[in-house]
Amino acid sequence: MENVPAYVGIIFGLTTLLTIYFFALATTQMRLVLSILFIWLAAQAVISITGFYYRNTHAQPPAFLLATLPNVLVILVLFITKRGRTFIDGMNLKVLTILHIIRIPVEIVLLWLCMHKVVPQIMTFEGWNFDILSGISAPFIYYIAFRKETYNKWVLLVWNIICLILLINIVSIAILSAPFAFQRFGLDQPNIAVLYFPYIWLPACVVPVVLLSHLASIRLLLKKSK
């Protein structure tokens, strides 16, 4: 990763901080959420800097689960518990919508990482990754949906579902491009950037926050449509 310019990591780090700021702002417990997320970011930074992830790509189960599985469990707990659903139902739909502009710098960073041979082209918008469309469309959808006092629920709902599909698409590609036993894409250039700091924050924080933002928005919109 020495060949990747410092500015790429700096821009990605700032993007991560902006992501968690937007997410915390959307909640009713901003300080608590920020505290938890900062602790999580710090923990993942320390683990990745030690080389734990890139030295254990052949471990079974993959050591990488330490960065991703806790997020999945937290999202499940939020949706299956009463307190979790109460937390989600108190979130601000406007902030959850505009949050997705962070996907623009994320995709630019992925392109730079591809140029420096640490992620495959298939993971960029020059390949099979169309996730940048979610970021570009976010401010326009925000304007269309919220320009009136009674916002357009169906525009938001359809947009969130489409963007969720785009997110699942790139996450699937990224997983199958990583240097694990089940790798299927990027065989000539595996997705190794996410095993290093600060890019570990992409699967460990940015992607789960974006995923939760979509799921929370869809829940809020479905509840309001009833």
Side-chain angles (χ1 to χ4, degrees):
M1 293 294 292
E2 293 83 4
N3 62 320
V4 179
Y7 69 83
V8 179
I10 292 171
I11 291 174
F12 179 73
L14 292 174
T15 300
T16 302
L17 295 179
L18 182 61
T19 302
I20 66 172
Y21 170 76
F22 272 134
F23 182 75
L25 186 63
T27 72
T28 56
Q29 303 177 52
M30 184 174 180
R31 289 186 179 180
L32 176 61
V33 171
L34 278 177
S35 298
I36 293 172
L37 289 175
F38 273 126
I39 291 171
W40 176 245
L41 289 180
Q44 288 302 318
V46 171
I47 294 171
S48 59
I49 289 172
T50 65
F52 177 76
Y53 291 124
Y54 67 80
R55 289 174 183 165
N56 294 284
T57 54
H58 298 293
Q60 293 297 333
F64 194 65
L65 286 177
L66 185 60
T68 56
L69 186 58
N71 298 306
V72 175
L73 295 176
V74 168
I75 292 174
L76 286 174
V77 168
L78 286 175
F79 278 90
I80 65 177
T81 64
K82 185 177 180 180
R83 291 186 66 179
R85 292 192 296 271
T86 300
F87 173 81
I88 291 171
D89 293 343
M91 300 188 79
N92 187 309
L93 192 55
K94 288 185 177 181
V95 180
L96 289 177
T97 302
I98 203 64
L99 175 150
H100 297 285
I101 61 172
I102 61 92
R103 289 155 91 160
I104 298 175
V106 166
E107 297 308 319
I108 294 173
V109 166
L110 284 177
L111 182 64
W112 285 336
L113 292 174
C114 174
M115 292 168 60
H116 290 88
K117 310 298 183 183
V118 288
V119 301
Q121 186 182 41
I122 194 174
M123 280 181 58
T124 73
F125 53 77
E126 292 184 342
W128 293 0
N129 180 2
F130 308 105
D131 200 56
I132 195 170
L133 297 176
S134 302
I136 293 172
S137 61
F140 298 101
I141 293 296
Y142 181 90
Y143 174 74
I144 293 170
F146 297 108
R147 60 181 173 176
K148 299 179 181 178
E149 290 186 11
T150 55
Y151 60 88
N152 194 320
K153 304 180 188 70
W154 296 109
V155 168
L156 272 176
L157 182 60
V158 171
W159 179 76
N160 270 284
I161 292 172
I162 292 173
C163 292
L164 180 59
I165 293 171
L166 294 180
L167 179 67
I168 293 171
N169 172 63
I170 179 53
V171 168
S172 301
I173 292 171
I175 293 172
L176 293 175
S177 298
F180 303 139
F182 47 79
Q183 183 181 0
R184 292 295 179 270
F185 303 132
L187 297 176
D188 56 334
Q189 176 49 67
N191 170 22
I192 61 170
V194 296
L195 304 176
Y196 295 81
F197 173 79
Y199 310 106
I200 185 63
W201 287 345
L202 180 58
C205 181
V206 176
V207 169
V209 165
V210 170
L211 173 61
L212 179 54
S213 297
H214 278 314
L215 295 176
S217 296
I218 291 170
R219 172 179 167 81
L220 290 170
L221 290 164
L222 289 176
K223 284 193 66 177
K224 291 180 184 297
S225 67
K226 293 179 181 179

